[in-house]
Amino acid sequence: MGNKSPESPSTGSIDSEIKNQSSRSYFTLQVKLLMWKQYLLFSRNLKSTLFQIFTPVCICIFLVLLQQLATYSMSTMTDKHPPDLSLSKIPKCYGSGCITLGIAYTSPKTTKMSEHILSYIAENNDLKINDDIKVIANNYDDMIDYLAKYTNRTQTCLLLCTGPFKPPPNPIYNDTIVCDMDIPEARLFLYSILINSTITPLMYFSGFNSPQPVDYASLAVKRSIDEAIISFYSNGKYNNTIKTNVQSFPLPTNRWMSGYDIVTAAGAFYFFIPPMVTFVVLLIEIVREKEYKLRHGLSMMGMGHGPYWFSWFLTGIIFILIVSNSLIISGLACVFDLFLHAPYPILIMLFGFFSISMMCLAFLMSTMLTTTKSAYTTSYAIILAGLVLQFLLSNIDMIYLIYGDDVATWIKITRVFLALYPPFNFAKAFGDIALKSSSHYSTKSKRWVSGDDYTWSDLTRTIHATVQGSNVTVPSTFITFMILIGNSIMLGGIAWYLDHVLSSNRGTPDKWYFFLTPRYWGCKRSNRKVSSNISLQDLTTNFRIQDPSIISSSPLMLTEPGVSINNLGKIFKNTKLCGASSQIHAVNNFSLSIEKRELLAILGHNGAGKSTLISLLTGLAKPSYGSASIFGLDIAEDMKEIRKILGVCPQHDILWNELTPREHLILFGRMKNLPYDRVCKEADEKLCQVKLDYVKDKLVGTFSGGMKRRLSLAISGVGDPKIIILDEPTTGMDPINRRNAWKLIQEMKKDRVMILTTHSMEEADVLSDRVCVIVDGMLKCLGTPLYLKNNYGDGFRITLISKTPNDLCQLISRTFPSSRLIDSSGGSLVISLPLDRKDEIHSFFLTMEGYQNHNLRAHIEDWGLSNTTLEEVFMRVTGKKEQSH
């Protein structure tokens, strides 16, 4: 533990220790720790985890329901014994202005036959003439014009031949038709029925496999007309109704639909969903750690980037295996032919290779996205666009056509780009396996045929087929699997590159050509040390007071620094699309040395550069110029080794809401390669010191802001770090817990270098060995609190209470010439006396004790004496203090 560490060794021994530690393998340990952390996160986000695992089950159950629905729908299309229906009376046409039976004559005159037919139909069908039955025309042309003008007004139209007429042009008979034809031994009456096809049920309403629909109203009209004709010619002797039955043609089984398999037809669409759920979960979780600086927190405590990504890769592989097996088991339970006839290893490769490629795409997207909100939006957009494309790619014939022997050049180019799209390769491989192992539609047989066992030889066989008359040569399924592996390598490689060069990922981006440098591949020079000899000129360059005698009298000249900063600077460039670019010097030519066993407090207003300086020292930002070393290790070259001896309490809490305080301390402690027993003991002690032992097993997500700050403070000291950096550690704490935190900090600073940034002058005064003030990125003053008060303060501050403040003020000016009035209000005077005027200070005390200047003492009712505060020094140095004269 920090407060029980032995005497700090020399710089040489520190270097030796670091070299010995770097020779050990941290990789396996860090991967185990990160996997343990992710196990806790996913086990406590149980809903999300179960959703991933049971999505395949829901998909398979849904496919079973769709298969049952499809089977039922096909059964309704088959009717080998259609019903025998008896025709009844003519149905009435209901509706405003609707005519049940429209009558038209071929000539203006009527005949006895036509009059008999109308009266018979009306009497035997309960219809009214001039209401349900209405004469609409006296010739053929007028009838056609009427029907065209009044559409959907006439249910059935009857054309009675009452005089000769010439029919419209037709391929059968074009001569004049004479109604009164004398045929021996035959009686003939001509009529025609016109059917309103818009009222007749449409074909797609009556079923896919049904014949043309029957107009039962027209058949009833024909039966009634025939009865009327028989009645007319029999002189009323025949009054029996003609019994008429109607039966549709039998509906046979449709070859195109019989044996339809939903898995073959749409499996590539639905089985696309479970891997995409894993893709979304991984993308969101990685970006969440990035947005809330959780990855940066792990990096600052010594985590390597390799173990970080490898742990997420293992996490993804575990979920892929679980989800893929869940899908296979569900498919077997639902008795899908694809899963019954294809070998298990091939199915695992099918779903596993596709899922791995989508996992690598998640890694790639996570390097470019910075917020969880953008991750949600992007992932859902990818899924929606993918579902649309996958719906098209579910048709394996369409995929095979792309591999045609005589396709256009643009199709060949499209084929190359589609090969870079993992869902396309998945749909192609799925279709290859489904065409052999599952029921599928045979273009050769024009029907659905049963599947057969899919063998290992089928996996490597080139596919030759004829699709819609075109010969195609399709790569084998094995080659498609290799392409999926290539997709994973390509996406993973791009993710690896972007993770190095984008600043939002590692904090300090590498050059675009980083992989070409020998240093990246481990060929680097030995750890170089930055010189700790900072000249007096460097120290006085940016000081408000530049008197060397004043500086040399302060404890600034260090012989063995733990931290050495030499002309360090950070420039942020504000690049504009139009107009000149600007630069912001967040840290400007900063030089400083901090010795061991010392706590340095850094003061500065908001935006002064404190957090930027911390980011430079912890490796979250790369310096624009200058150098710095920590225990002889260069921050530009040896940050990996520095982080092994570094403890950080960042400005914003870097904590997982799903973990407990004890788990946090164990995670970060083990990250320092400390034994488990020691870490557990140290975790309990740290939690007791920050008064969190009573909630050590509670989730951090339930903590208040102050409790989280105390936990962050405890984390910074775990693992026995040689240097601890605290960025505003007591923000949000109540006074009692702030005092406890101060006590812990004072215990932690033994045998260590500590850097503390704060806005609390009291905190800096109590804790610091030295204080430095930063203004606009530049070091303005440096020294012990007392040294700064003496050199930048107003000397002794004296408060006087008087009923005659004006008279008192004049007397003080005459008695103590070097005094200066600071404030006068409400009968109270505040004056200052310089520390170097010892004679006046001595005289003042004699006056207050009543030994001299009795007239002056008579004007004073009460008085008080204090030294200059650190806050006044800060205000003066930063230029915020109004000068009074």
Side-chain angles (χ1 to χ4, degrees):
M1 286 182 56
N3 58 343
K4 296 183 180 180
S5 298
E7 191 71 17
S8 179
S10 64
T11 303
S13 62
I14 289 292
D15 293 339
S16 177
E17 181 180 348
I18 296 300
K19 290 178 181 179
N20 291 333
Q21 288 181 354
S22 62
S23 64
R24 304 169 191 164
S25 175
Y26 282 90
F27 190 91
T28 303
L29 172 63
Q30 292 186 355
V31 169
K32 289 180 179 179
L33 288 171
L34 292 171
M35 292 299 294
W36 172 66
K37 180 262 296 182
Q38 275 145 216
Y39 165 75
L40 294 176
L41 295 180
F42 283 105
S43 63
R44 288 167 185 171
N45 286 322
L46 195 57
K47 292 181 180 179
S48 173
T49 304
L50 292 179
F51 180 75
Q52 287 187 76
I53 297 173
F54 288 102
T55 294
V57 178
C58 298
I59 292 294
C60 289
I61 293 175
F62 182 70
L63 288 177
V64 169
L65 296 177
L66 284 182
Q67 182 68 64
Q68 295 299 321
L69 180 62
T71 303
Y72 173 77
S73 299
M74 287 185 287
S75 67
T76 60
M77 298 178 185
T78 303
D79 191 359
K80 297 181 180 179
H81 303 284
D84 187 1
L85 303 177
S86 177
L87 290 179
S88 58
K89 297 180 180 181
I90 301 173
K92 286 187 177 183
C93 175
Y94 293 98
S96 177
C98 181
I99 302 173
T100 300
L101 182 62
I103 305 298
Y105 302 117
T106 58
S107 64
K109 67 178 183 178
T110 62
T111 63
K112 292 182 179 180
M113 173 63 80
S114 63
E115 292 175 354
H116 177 77
I117 289 175
L118 263 64
S119 61
Y120 185 90
I121 292 175
E123 179 180 352
N124 288 275
N125 292 276
D126 300 328
L127 302 176
K128 296 181 181 179
I129 298 177
N130 296 327
D131 186 5
D132 301 313
I133 303 175
K134 185 180 293 186
V135 178
I136 60 175
N138 291 320
N139 58 68
Y140 177 80
D141 293 333
D142 291 345
M143 177 191 68
I144 297 300
D145 293 340
Y146 177 88
L147 295 177
K149 182 177 181 180
Y150 302 102
T151 57
N152 288 331
R153 294 282 296 275
T154 305
Q155 177 174 283
T156 307
C157 184
L158 175 61
L159 176 63
L160 298 176
C161 189
T162 59
F165 80 101
K166 188 175 180 62
N170 64 86
I172 299 176
Y173 186 81
N174 287 293
D175 293 334
T176 301
I177 297 176
V178 180
C179 298
D180 298 330
M181 290 187 292
D182 187 11
I183 301 175
E185 299 180 357
R187 294 177 177 178
L188 181 65
F189 181 76
L190 301 178
Y191 68 91
S192 180
I193 299 176
L194 282 75
I195 300 174
N196 187 350
S197 61
T198 60
I199 295 179
T200 303
L202 298 179
M203 182 177 179
Y204 55 80
F205 284 145
S206 58
F208 180 84
N209 200 33
S210 299
Q212 293 291 341
V214 178
D215 184 358
Y216 293 96
S218 301
L219 291 178
V221 170
K222 178 174 176 52
R223 187 206 63 182
S224 189
I225 293 173
D226 291 345
E227 288 178 352
I229 293 173
I230 294 174
S231 174
F232 178 82
Y233 283 119
S234 64
N235 295 320
K237 295 180 180 180
Y238 182 81
N239 292 320
N240 294 329
T241 301
I242 299 176
K243 294 183 178 180
T244 306
N245 294 336
V246 179
Q247 187 177 29
S248 297
F249 282 99
L251 302 180
T253 303
N254 189 290
R255 290 191 302 167
W256 194 84
M257 297 297 293
S258 179
Y260 175 81
D261 192 320
I262 190 68
V263 173
T264 303
F269 175 80
Y270 289 103
F271 295 147
F272 164 81
I273 297 175
M276 294 306 294
V277 174
T278 303
F279 160 80
V280 172
V281 171
L282 290 176
L283 175 60
I284 291 173
E285 287 300 319
I286 295 174
V287 174
R288 183 171 75 99
E289 290 193 345
K290 180 179 178 180
E291 178 183 7
Y292 295 108
K293 308 297 183 183
L294 299 173
R295 179 185 175 185
H296 288 170
L298 288 169
S299 297
M300 289 187 294
M301 298 299 284
M303 181 204 70
H305 300 291
Y308 179 80
W309 283 114
F310 188 70
S311 69
W312 274 116
F313 179 80
L314 289 181
T315 301
I317 291 294
I318 292 172
F319 275 113
I320 287 169
L321 290 175
I322 293 174
V323 172
S324 298
N325 281 282
S326 175
L327 182 57
I328 294 172
I329 293 172
S330 301
L332 291 171
C334 295
V335 200
F336 292 146
D337 289 343
L338 176 82
F339 298 92
L340 294 174
H341 296 159
Y344 170 80
I346 293 179
L347 292 176
I348 278 292
M349 286 190 290
L350 171 65
F351 298 115
F353 289 160
F354 171 58
S355 299
I356 291 173
S357 65
M358 295 311 299
M359 175 183 66
C360 292
L361 178 60
F363 292 166
L364 171 60
M365 299 304 300
S366 69
T367 62
M368 297 184 289
L369 301 175
T370 57
T371 63
T372 308
K373 182 178 180 181
S374 63
Y376 274 109
T377 304
T378 303
S379 59
Y380 291 155
I382 291 175
I383 288 179
L384 291 177
L387 287 174
V388 173
L389 291 175
Q390 208 66 10
F391 180 77
L392 300 176
L393 297 175
S394 295
N395 187 349
I396 190 62
D397 289 344
M398 180 181 294
I399 296 178
Y400 281 4
L401 283 174
I402 299 176
Y403 292 93
D405 298 334
D406 299 320
V407 296
T409 303
W410 69 270
I411 296 180
K412 295 180 180 179
I413 297 174
T414 302
R415 186 171 65 201
V416 173
F417 282 103
L418 285 175
L420 302 177
Y421 179 59
F424 170 79
N425 299 312
F426 167 72
K428 189 265 179 187
F430 181 90
D432 293 345
I433 298 173
L435 280 180
K436 179 70 186 297
S437 64
S438 187
S439 296
H440 60 279
Y441 184 76
S442 172
T443 56
K444 183 177 180 179
S445 304
K446 303 299 180 183
R447 64 187 180 88
W448 283 78
V449 297
S450 300
D452 199 358
D453 289 338
Y454 189 88
T455 63
W456 286 97
S457 60
D458 295 323
L459 182 67
T460 56
R461 182 181 298 117
T462 302
I463 301 172
H464 300 279
T466 301
V467 181
Q468 297 183 4
S470 300
N471 294 325
V472 296
T473 302
V474 185
S476 66
T477 309
F478 177 78
I479 292 178
T480 305
F481 283 169
M482 294 300 101
I483 295 176
L484 277 172
I485 295 175
N487 293 153
S488 302
I489 295 174
M490 177 191 68
L491 294 171
I494 298 174
W496 164 80
Y497 181 79
L498 294 180
D499 184 60
H500 280 80
V501 300
L502 296 181
S503 60
S504 61
N505 296 309
R506 300 185 175 214
T508 303
D510 293 324
K511 299 290 186 182
W512 65 269
Y513 55 85
F514 70 92
F515 57 92
L516 301 176
T517 60
R519 177 177 176 271
Y520 179 77
W521 302 104
C523 302
K524 64 176 182 177
R525 61 176 178 257
S526 60
N527 296 336
R528 64 185 181 91
K529 299 181 181 181
V530 180
S531 176
S532 60
N533 298 323
I534 301 176
S535 66
L536 185 63
Q537 179 63 32
D538 293 334
L539 287 173
T540 60
T541 298
N542 298 321
F543 279 30
R544 181 179 296 276
I545 297 179
Q546 300 180 357
D547 184 359
S549 63
I550 296 178
I551 299 174
S552 61
S553 64
S554 63
L556 295 176
M557 307 312 293
L558 308 176
T559 58
E560 191 180 359
V563 176
S564 179
I565 304 172
N566 188 17
N567 293 324
L568 193 66
K570 179 63 179 177
I571 300 175
F572 292 101
K573 295 182 179 180
N574 184 16
T575 304
K576 297 181 180 178
L577 184 62
C578 298
S581 301
S582 59
Q583 294 182 346
I584 300 175
H585 280 75
V587 178
N588 192 355
N589 288 315
F590 194 91
S591 297
L592 180 68
S593 288
I594 310 172
E595 66 178 359
K596 301 172 186 177
R597 309 176 190 86
E598 179 183 18
L599 189 151
L600 175 72
I602 302 177
L603 305 180
H605 55 79
N606 291 330
K610 303 187 301 298
S611 295
T612 304
L613 177 61
I614 297 302
S615 297
L616 295 175
L617 295 178
T618 56
L620 296 183
K622 187 175 183 180
S624 301
Y625 56 86
S627 61
S629 68
I630 298 177
F631 287 101
L633 300 172
D634 186 10
I635 63 170
E637 301 289 337
D638 308 306
M639 185 51 65
K640 183 177 180 181
E641 286 74 19
I642 290 174
R643 284 172 171 169
K644 295 176 183 178
I645 59 170
L646 175 66
V648 181
C649 175
Q651 184 175 4
H652 302 288
D653 298 309
I654 300 178
L655 304 170
W656 286 267
N657 291 334
E658 299 84 357
L659 300 184
T660 66
R662 193 170 187 271
E663 290 167 348
H664 274 92
L665 291 168
I666 292 174
L667 172 66
F668 288 107
R670 291 287 290 149
M671 199 71 70
K672 300 285 188 181
N673 202 25
L674 295 180
Y676 179 77
D677 294 339
R678 178 181 171 186
V679 169
C680 291
K681 181 180 178 182
E682 187 172 351
D684 293 335
E685 292 176 355
K686 293 292 184 187
L687 291 174
C688 288
Q689 290 174 336
V690 295
K691 307 302 180 183
L692 289 177
D693 53 309
Y694 67 99
V695 289
K696 64 180 181 181
D697 294 321
K698 301 292 184 181
L699 298 183
V700 171
T702 62
F703 285 11
S704 64
M707 296 171 72
K708 291 181 179 179
R709 292 306 292 163
R710 283 185 275 159
L711 177 57
S712 297
L713 178 60
I715 290 173
S716 67
V718 73
D720 194 20
K722 304 302 179 185
I723 175 172
I724 299 177
I725 298 177
L726 309 175
D727 196 357
E728 301 180 16
T730 60
T731 301
M733 292 189 189
D734 59 82
I736 296 177
N737 286 310
R738 184 181 296 113
R739 296 288 178 179
N740 293 329
W742 290 355
K743 182 179 179 181
L744 175 61
I745 293 172
Q746 288 174 333
E747 293 175 353
M748 289 167 58
K749 76 178 184 180
K750 296 178 181 178
D751 303 319
R752 291 189 177 96
V753 172
M754 295 190 71
I755 299 175
L756 167 72
T757 69
T758 182
H759 287 294
S760 172
M761 303 301 152
E762 182 186 8
E763 183 170 281
D765 205 354
V766 170
L767 298 176
S768 64
D769 297 308
R770 285 193 298 164
V771 175
C772 75
V773 179
I774 299 179
V775 179
D776 297 330
M778 296 184 291
L779 178 62
K780 286 299 181 180
C781 65
L782 174 66
T784 64
L786 181 59
Y787 170 78
L788 296 180
K789 293 174 185 179
N790 291 340
N791 285 276
Y792 292 93
D794 295 323
F796 285 111
R797 175 165 295 194
I798 303 170
T799 303
L800 304 173
I801 306 298
S802 175
K803 294 182 179 180
T804 57
N806 294 331
D807 296 338
L808 179 60
C809 184
Q810 295 176 3
L811 289 172
I812 289 178
S813 298
R814 291 195 297 268
T815 308
F816 308 107
S818 62
S819 66
R820 186 168 62 88
L821 178 65
I822 296 176
D823 184 52
S824 175
S825 60
S828 175
L829 297 178
V830 180
I831 64 172
S832 66
L833 283 176
L835 295 175
D836 56 347
R837 298 304 300 269
K838 297 180 180 179
D839 55 337
E840 293 188 10
I841 295 174
H842 180 262
S843 177
F844 172 77
F845 280 107
L846 292 177
T847 300
M848 294 300 105
E849 295 297 329
Y851 294 108
Q852 63 181 28
N853 298 327
H854 299 287
N855 186 28
L856 175 61
R857 183 65 180 86
H859 288 273
I860 300 174
E861 295 185 356
D862 198 2
W863 66 284
L865 180 69
S866 64
N867 201 349
T868 303
T869 64
L870 197 57
E871 181 175 356
E872 293 173 348
V873 173
F874 176 77
M875 298 294 287
R876 180 180 293 276
V877 172
T878 58
K880 304 298 182 180
K881 182 177 178 65
E882 296 182 0
Q883 300 295 333
S884 300
H885 300 284

